[in-house]
Amino acid sequence: MKHCDITTQFGALTLTEDDGALVRLSWGTSGQRDASPVLDAAAEQLAAYDADSAALFDLPLRISGGDLQQAVCNAMQNIPLGETMTYGDIAQALNVSAQAVGQACGRNPIPIIIPCHRVMGAKGLTGFSGAGGVETKLALLKHEGAGGFLI
């Protein structure tokens, strides 16, 4: 596996590539700076997102996990920039429980790029598994212009 560190307004992040696909984004640094077309593109696209939330991600991703994990990650990727959905919305579309969706969101291996921060509880803002927890989720939503639900 190859790793690349990047610093953003949301913290220091490590990108991990395996066999030509991005497989993980985690908070913290690996201390490595491997070069590859996938890591270089991911670092460039994250830097563009950091500077302008309208920047889009177009990267080869590989999500580990079963069918439900794949389906939830796909649903999260389809939430438009600046918008949110609830766990219940996704659960209804996938015919599973909201709790199962919440667990899959928490196991999202590539946060920010797969925007689990855009998923809310039925009554509003909920937890976030990235560093900084809810504050980071809120910062990502505000960056994308999706913080209006808090006003």
Side-chain angles (χ1 to χ4, degrees):
M1 284 198 225
K2 297 176 181 177
H3 304 278
C4 171
D5 297 336
I6 181 172
T7 301
T8 71
Q9 64 181 303
F10 310 107
L13 306 171
T14 296
L15 299 160
T16 303
E17 175 201 342
D18 185 30
D19 196 28
L22 193 64
V23 296
R24 179 159 301 284
L25 182 152
S26 53
W27 270 262
T29 59
S30 66
Q32 291 181 248
R33 179 58 172 115
D34 299 316
S36 78
V38 170
L39 287 176
D40 294 346
E44 182 178 304
Q45 289 177 31
L46 267 170
Y49 171 83
D50 190 43
D52 176 7
S53 67
L56 300 175
F57 296 106
D58 182 22
L59 300 162
L61 308 176
R62 186 174 328 111
I63 312 310
S64 60
D67 291 343
L68 179 61
Q69 186 69 46
Q70 302 288 326
V72 170
C73 284
N74 185 55
M76 290 186 292
Q77 285 181 281
N78 289 314
I79 302 171
L81 183 73
E83 296 183 23
T84 61
M85 291 183 76
T86 66
Y87 298 106
D89 293 334
I90 295 172
Q92 185 175 13
L94 299 178
N95 199 29
V96 298
S97 73
Q99 183 180 19
V101 170
Q103 290 170 344
C105 286
R107 288 190 303 268
N108 176 12
I110 312 172
I112 301 175
I113 294 170
I114 298 176
C116 53
H117 58 277
R118 296 180 191 158
V119 183
M120 302 287 133
K123 296 181 181 179
L125 196 61
T126 55
F128 184 65
S129 59
V134 173
E135 278 77 26
T136 300
K137 181 174 187 163
L138 184 57
L140 287 161
L141 290 169
K142 284 183 177 180
H143 180 65
E144 295 179 356
F149 64 91
L150 296 172
I151 299 172

